[in-house]
Amino acid sequence: MSAYCGQYHDELIANATYIGTPGKGILAADESTGTIGKRLASINVENVEENRRALRELLFCTPGALQYLSGAILFEETLYQKTANGKPFVEVLKEGGVLPGIKVDKGTIELAGTNGETTTQGHDDLGKRCKKYYEAGARFAKWRAVLKIGPNEPSQLSINANADGLARYAIICQENGLVPIVEPEILVDGPHDIKKCADVTERVLAACYKALNDHHVLLEGTLLKPNMVTPGSESAKVAPEVVAEHTVRALQRTVPPAVPAIVFLSGGQSEEEATLNLNAMNKLKGKKPWSLSFSFGRALQQSTLKAWAGKEGNIDKARTAFLARCKANSEATLGTYKGDAAGGEGVSESLHVKDYKY
Amino acid sequence: MSAYCGQFHDELIANAAYIGTPGKGILAADESTGTIGKRLASINVENVEENRRDLRELLFCTPGALQYLSGVILFEETLYQKTVDGKLFVEVLKEGGVLPGIKVDKGTVELAGTNGETTTQGHDDLGKRCKKYYEAGARFAKWRAVLKISPNEPSQLSIDANANGLARYAIICQENGLVPIVEPEILVDGPHDIAKCAEVTERVLAACYKALNDHHVLLEGSLLKPNMVTPGSESKKVAPEVVAEYTVRALQRTVPAAVPAIVFLSGGQSEEEATLNLNAMNKLQGKKPWSLSFSFGRALQQSTLKAWAGKVENVEKARTAFLTRCKANSEATLGTYKGDAAGGEGVSESLHVKDYKY
């Protein structure tokens, strides 16, 4: 067997293709309880279930927002939560034409003998968990591998372990009806230039696609969530066109055309930066046999969170901010963004946190 | 460094792109002295240098043929030969807009511990040889790796050794200004079905592209020469549309968009079969970010050889046959071939020789 061809074959391909619909992208709302706690703390909101629920309702029930989304990644708790009126979030999303996704990894752990490099865990009973999530309405999954750039990093061990871990996760998802998002994030931290980032990104992506082939993953039923190719956080910024050129070239050199869509992570970029970079990629001429879209967390929610500040009286204002970012990124997937959403508070604020832990 | 970026960077990209010009393809006229001997023997012609020279002059000086070719692969002897009027063949080709290429491998040797599997040799002093060939006018090179399908083949050793050998050859070529054609031929011999051929082809191509990435090969300055995906020689034939579907899918799953062109080998296919299959691929709807063309040896020369039979008075007749096949394959790269070149003698004759040795 060259690639997965079991009972979910056609459905996986259809769902992966749908997620890549031009004009749409993914809202990454899968912050773990610990991570969402940090976000809530930054706006002086207590980290209790009701507040976590209220935030997600604010986002998912923003009138007019869901048309710009093809998927929303959820944390396990959220998969089973409901609106204040008692409607399950997965129903809200499905009715809005948005596929629910689920974060299935269990965080990173250090690789012994390396300089703080990590691999990602979560394979144990992953099949059973995927089956359960599928029954609850999830149709795609996400697993985040993390690599870093340093004088001796990423090491061959780190590349191999993370690529193999991603491939193993991916085939288990497909066996259970979930489209796997393959996310090999290379952290932006460091003084390196954009060429170094391109170099490492190409090496990591090549290893990922070799591993996916080894594990018989059906590429047409997967998605890729890579970092954009940018200078390191301690290096001078470059224009969106330069990010676009280096990023698209890296993808042309490593991502087979069978992959339907590439949904970028935003890393530490500000909301506006992420949108401008994505827009530049979609304006770039050249071979792009996969759609280029977004899977943004912070870069879709930052100004929304600030506007909300946990107060019910701010919901309208917060929803306006969220809708503006969704629409901006939708336009960016079409290469038609004009920069008119740059007005909100916090929109140009860097979201970079050194050595960010989700 | 992610990929080769030395002095020949831009030239490699330009030449590789030129070879993939729609409407053009490659004539593989690089039969070794031993192999061309078999061809000449089949038409009762003595295997002496003058006859080998005559055959190549017959081909290269066919009026109107060179417009359909972007490259011709030569054996070393031919690189230094001239027309009867004293003009170097490389000059004839260059004036006709055809890039001269050179076969640089030194044949296959068996891999100990396998069931007759082989690897390809020729790396020793390859850089020096490439430099010499470049000076003589060559602008691309070819290296043939051979794999086979059976219950336990291809073995992992065979895949790894051949992929690595191809990658090492490829970077050495680029360092010396020659665009490397990467040829991992999976022999058609066997009773297997088309799905099995697809599986093996995908596995082999994935290994090749991983190795090319490991060796820092500039994909934009390389070409791929794969087998089409077909049933085994002992299995029932299928329609060209089926060959096209399986072949293009295999390539979508493994060949990065950065590769400018894929130039198929014809293996044991008859002239007409090879043309119809190529035509079907170019008519197929779907993602094809590389041009799909030909690098045919037997499938361009068979009826020409038969018509020539080594006699000077047959040269015109032979040239008519050759021009016909060139034009037919040119149309096949555009998906416009109507099947009207099927008339010549030998055109539908299978060229399959079991376990063919070049």
Side-chain angles (χ1 to χ4, degrees):
Chain A
M1 181 183 81
S2 70
Y4 174 78
C5 50
Q7 67 174 118
Y8 294 106
H9 177 273
D10 295 355
E11 186 180 335
L12 290 167
I13 293 179
N15 286 340
T17 305
Y18 176 71
I19 289 175
T21 303
K24 295 183 189 283
I26 295 175
L27 162 65
D30 61 320
E31 300 88 353
S32 62
T33 308
T35 300
I36 199 65
K38 291 185 215 162
R39 302 277 167 80
L40 296 174
S42 78
I43 52 169
N44 293 313
V45 173
E46 198 189 354
N47 188 12
V48 291
E49 195 186 334
E50 179 47 31
N51 287 342
R52 297 193 292 270
R53 197 210 61 74
L55 168 60
R56 275 59 183 267
E57 176 161 352
L58 188 160
L59 299 170
F60 303 161
C61 299
T62 296
L66 298 190
Q67 67 179 305
Y68 300 122
L69 304 177
S70 48
I73 320 180
L74 311 176
F75 182 61
E76 186 171 358
E77 176 187 79
T78 320
L79 193 59
Y80 300 100
Q81 284 181 332
K82 305 174 177 165
T83 65
N85 296 336
K87 187 170 201 171
F89 282 148
V90 296
E91 281 309 309
V92 174
L93 292 172
K94 281 187 163 170
E95 280 173 20
V98 181
L99 292 177
I102 176 75
K103 183 226 295 291
V104 301
D105 71 73
K106 294 188 172 184
T108 57
I109 47 168
E110 283 201 17
L111 287 165
T114 67
N115 179 21
E117 291 180 293
T118 65
T119 187
T120 297
Q121 58 180 12
H123 292 102
D124 300 346
D125 284 336
L126 179 57
K128 289 189 180 150
R129 294 172 54 222
C130 286
K131 194 172 186 317
K132 212 185 60 160
Y133 296 142
Y134 184 95
E135 281 159 16
R139 288 297 176 269
F140 70 96
K142 165 265 182 101
W143 175 288
R144 178 175 177 258
V146 185
L147 300 103
K148 65 173 178 174
I149 296 178
N152 302 308
E153 288 85 19
S155 63
Q156 196 59 52
L157 171 62
S158 159
I159 294 175
N160 295 345
N162 282 292
D164 204 64
L166 278 164
R168 185 76 192 109
Y169 136 83
I171 190 65
I172 291 172
C173 282
Q174 294 193 326
E175 288 179 296
N176 292 282
L178 301 182
V179 170
I181 294 185
V182 172
E183 180 179 357
E185 173 170 6
I186 299 158
L187 296 175
V188 68
D189 304 67
H192 56 272
D193 62 14
I194 194 170
K195 279 197 183 325
K196 178 68 180 176
C197 179
D199 199 353
V200 173
T201 301
E202 289 170 27
R203 201 165 145 225
V204 169
L205 290 179
C208 288
Y209 282 96
K210 178 61 165 67
L212 290 168
N213 180 277
D214 288 343
H215 285 259
H216 310 295
V217 176
L218 175 70
L219 294 187
E220 295 87 340
T222 65
L223 298 162
L224 178 68
K225 179 167 171 169
N227 49 282
M228 296 184 191
V229 176
T230 68
S233 55
E234 293 158 47
S235 203
K237 288 206 184 292
V238 298
E241 291 69 32
V242 178
V243 170
E245 183 198 331
H246 281 77
T247 304
V248 172
R249 184 165 57 220
L251 301 169
Q252 287 170 339
R253 288 175 169 179
T254 54
V255 185
V259 175
I262 297 176
V263 292
F264 295 95
L265 62 91
S266 44
Q269 298 181 39
S270 71
E271 289 177 326
E272 189 63 3
E273 214 179 330
T275 304
L276 289 173
N277 285 336
L278 179 62
N279 192 55
M281 285 184 225
N282 280 294
K283 290 177 74 172
L284 194 72
K285 301 248 171 277
K287 297 193 282 189
K288 294 180 287 178
W290 355 252
S291 55
L292 299 176
S293 186
F294 56 92
S295 176
F296 291 167
R298 284 169 282 173
L300 268 172
Q301 300 179 59
Q302 179 72 357
S303 45
T304 305
L305 267 167
K306 281 188 129 82
W308 178 46
K311 301 188 170 78
E312 216 187 296
N314 289 340
I315 287 181
D316 264 12
K317 191 165 75 133
R319 283 181 163 163
T320 300
F322 182 60
L323 183 62
R325 289 329 303 173
C326 286
K327 183 164 184 287
N329 284 303
S330 163
E331 289 168 1
T333 71
L334 303 170
T336 60
Y337 179 58
K338 302 269 181 284
D340 47 5
E345 185 192 331
V347 138
S348 298
E349 181 186 314
S350 165
L351 299 166
H352 178 239
V353 173
K354 195 162 155 51
D355 216 17
Y356 190 74
K357 307 247 181 292
Y358 272 58
Chain B
M1 180 182 80
S2 71
Y4 173 78
C5 50
Q7 68 175 116
F8 294 106
H9 177 271
D10 294 356
E11 187 181 334
L12 290 167
I13 293 178
N15 285 341
Y18 176 71
I19 288 175
T21 303
K24 294 184 190 283
I26 295 174
L27 163 65
D30 61 318
E31 301 88 352
S32 61
T33 308
T35 301
I36 200 65
K38 293 184 215 166
R39 302 275 168 80
L40 296 175
S42 78
I43 52 169
N44 294 314
V45 173
E46 199 188 353
N47 188 12
V48 292
E49 192 184 337
E50 185 49 28
N51 288 341
R52 297 193 290 272
R53 197 211 60 77
D54 277 351
L55 170 59
R56 274 60 181 265
E57 177 160 351
L58 188 159
L59 299 170
F60 305 162
C61 299
T62 296
L66 297 191
Q67 66 181 307
Y68 300 121
L69 303 177
S70 47
V72 174
I73 320 178
L74 308 173
F75 182 62
E76 186 171 356
E77 175 188 81
T78 321
L79 193 61
Y80 300 101
Q81 283 181 331
K82 304 172 177 170
T83 64
V84 133
D85 298 337
K87 187 169 200 171
L88 283 167
F89 281 149
V90 295
E91 281 311 309
V92 173
L93 293 174
K94 282 186 162 168
E95 280 171 21
V98 182
L99 292 177
I102 176 74
K103 184 229 292 288
V104 301
D105 71 73
K106 294 188 171 187
T108 58
V109 286
E110 283 202 14
L111 287 164
T114 68
N115 178 23
E117 291 180 294
T118 64
T119 189
T120 298
Q121 57 179 15
H123 293 102
D124 301 346
D125 284 334
L126 179 57
K128 287 189 183 152
R129 294 171 55 222
C130 285
K131 194 171 186 318
K132 213 185 59 160
Y133 297 141
Y134 184 95
E135 281 157 17
R139 288 295 176 271
F140 71 95
K142 165 262 180 107
W143 174 289
R144 178 174 177 259
V146 186
L147 300 104
K148 66 174 178 172
I149 297 177
S150 50
N152 302 309
E153 284 85 21
S155 63
Q156 197 59 51
L157 171 62
S158 159
I159 294 176
D160 294 343
N162 282 291
N164 207 45
L166 278 163
R168 185 76 193 110
Y169 136 81
I171 190 63
I172 292 172
C173 282
Q174 294 192 328
E175 289 179 296
N176 291 283
L178 301 181
V179 171
I181 294 185
V182 172
E183 180 178 356
E185 173 169 7
I186 299 158
L187 296 175
V188 69
D189 303 67
H192 56 272
D193 62 14
I194 193 169
K196 178 68 180 177
C197 179
E199 186 195 319
V200 173
T201 301
E202 288 171 26
R203 201 166 145 223
V204 169
L205 291 179
C208 287
Y209 283 94
K210 178 60 165 68
L212 290 169
N213 180 277
D214 289 344
H215 285 259
H216 309 296
V217 175
L218 176 69
L219 294 187
E220 295 88 339
S222 71
L223 298 163
L224 178 68
K225 179 168 171 168
N227 49 280
M228 296 184 191
V229 176
T230 69
S233 56
E234 294 158 47
S235 200
K236 253 171 68 77
K237 290 207 182 291
V238 299
E241 292 67 33
V242 179
V243 169
E245 184 197 331
Y246 277 81
T247 305
V248 172
R249 185 165 57 219
L251 301 169
Q252 287 169 338
R253 289 174 169 179
T254 54
V255 185
V259 175
I262 297 176
V263 293
F264 295 95
L265 61 92
S266 45
Q269 296 181 40
S270 71
E271 289 178 325
E272 189 64 3
E273 213 178 331
T275 303
L276 289 173
N277 285 335
L278 179 62
N279 191 55
M281 284 183 223
N282 281 293
K283 289 177 73 171
L284 195 71
Q285 299 297 317
K287 296 193 281 190
K288 295 180 290 178
W290 355 253
S291 56
L292 299 175
S293 185
F294 57 92
S295 175
F296 293 166
R298 285 170 280 173
L300 268 172
Q301 300 179 58
Q302 181 71 358
S303 44
T304 305
L305 269 165
K306 282 187 127 86
W308 178 45
K311 301 189 169 80
V312 149
E313 59 272 27
N314 288 340
V315 166
E316 251 186 70
K317 191 167 76 140
R319 283 180 164 165
T320 300
F322 182 60
L323 182 63
T324 299
R325 288 329 301 173
C326 287
K327 184 164 184 286
N329 286 303
S330 164
E331 290 168 359
T333 71
L334 302 170
T336 60
Y337 179 58
K338 301 272 179 289
D340 47 4
E345 186 192 329
V347 139
S348 298
E349 182 185 313
S350 165
L351 299 165
H352 179 240
V353 174
K354 195 162 156 51
D355 216 16
Y356 189 74
K357 307 243 179 299
Y358 273 56

